[in-house]
Amino acid sequence: YTEEPPQTGPRRVMVRRPGELGVVMIAQKIPPARSPDYAALRVLGMILADGRNSRFYKALTDKNLTTNVDADPEFNRDGSLFFVSAQLTPGTKHEEVEQKILQELDRVKKDGVKDDEVAAAVAKYLASTAYERDGSMAMAFALNECIAVGDWQLFYKLEDAMSKVTPADVQRVAKKYFGEDERTTGWYVPRNEAPANGE
């Protein structure tokens, strides 16, 4: 069975294509969804980017630097990625948005998160999970997702694990998985003029 080797340094990519708004995306290596750390990573993503009280909203969207920022760990059988994706407002510089994203991540690593942030994230997750499982087809879809990652019992276990996440857990996973060497950063830079030489 093939396993991806550890990433040993930061990677960057830039894409220039016709379009309107820029994007900054940061990906960090994380373990499979069956990992005991997955629930804390999920809570971290919600604290960072779920709703108007989230840290990225206050630091970026509320300052008119982005139209939206998402932060989510992928739910996969194998080692995967935690994605942060920011859609820039017109005229905003990629460098500024990337810097502010990294500043917020560093703040979590250094200062941690608050009890009420964790409690709000868990409550939102439990409410959205209940809503998403309303009906037999929705329940079957959610169960199949858990089967696909290798443990059908995650259908129940993940809710329990989320309820037990503490601020210390969130800070620990931020320190563990959000190092520079495991980071891949991508910029989408809109280019409205025709490319040279037919590129």
Side-chain angles (χ1 to χ4, degrees):
Y1 190 82
T2 302
E3 292 187 10
E4 183 177 358
Q7 185 171 330
T8 56
R11 301 170 182 168
R12 302 189 68 89
V13 62
M14 180 186 294
V15 175
R16 295 181 185 271
R17 293 286 186 274
E20 295 297 325
L21 301 178
V23 175
V24 171
M25 182 174 283
I26 295 174
Q28 301 276 170
K29 297 289 180 64
I30 59 169
R34 300 186 311 280
S35 166
D37 288 341
Y38 183 82
L41 287 164
R42 193 73 175 262
V43 171
L44 172 60
M46 297 182 74
I47 290 172
L48 290 173
D50 191 346
R52 291 179 176 268
N53 289 323
S54 66
R55 296 196 175 197
F56 286 153
Y57 187 93
K58 291 177 180 178
L60 292 162
T61 307
D62 203 34
K63 303 283 176 38
N64 202 35
L65 297 173
T66 59
T67 60
N68 186 56
V69 185
D70 295 308
D72 297 293
E74 290 195 315
F75 190 67
N76 288 331
R77 179 186 184 279
D78 300 313
S80 193
L81 295 169
F82 186 110
F83 282 109
V84 176
S85 178
Q87 291 77 50
L88 280 56
T89 53
T92 298
K93 295 184 180 300
H94 290 69
E95 295 92 340
E96 183 178 5
V97 170
E98 180 181 337
Q99 182 182 31
K100 287 188 176 294
I101 289 171
L102 296 179
Q103 285 173 350
E104 289 302 314
L105 292 172
D106 286 342
R107 192 158 69 94
V108 173
K109 290 192 282 185
K110 180 181 177 182
D111 302 326
V113 297
K114 298 176 182 177
D115 287 324
D116 60 342
E117 289 180 300
V118 173
V122 171
K124 282 184 180 181
Y125 174 81
L126 296 177
S128 66
T129 299
Y131 178 77
E132 290 166 3
R133 295 178 181 179
D134 184 19
S136 56
M137 182 174 291
M139 290 181 67
F141 179 81
L143 184 58
N144 280 333
E145 288 294 301
C146 294
I147 292 170
V149 303
D151 184 3
W152 69 268
Q153 295 179 77
L154 284 174
F155 185 84
Y156 303 105
K157 286 180 179 178
L158 190 53
E159 286 185 75
D160 185 52
M162 292 282 288
S163 298
K164 294 176 180 176
V165 171
T166 67
D169 292 328
V170 176
Q171 185 178 22
R172 177 182 56 80
V173 297
K175 289 181 177 179
K176 184 175 182 179
Y177 298 111
F178 284 77
E180 183 181 13
D181 283 348
E182 298 81 27
R183 181 179 304 143
T184 300
T185 304
W187 289 5
Y188 166 64
V189 180
R191 180 173 62 186
N192 293 318
E193 71 275 12
N197 302 322
E199 293 178 1

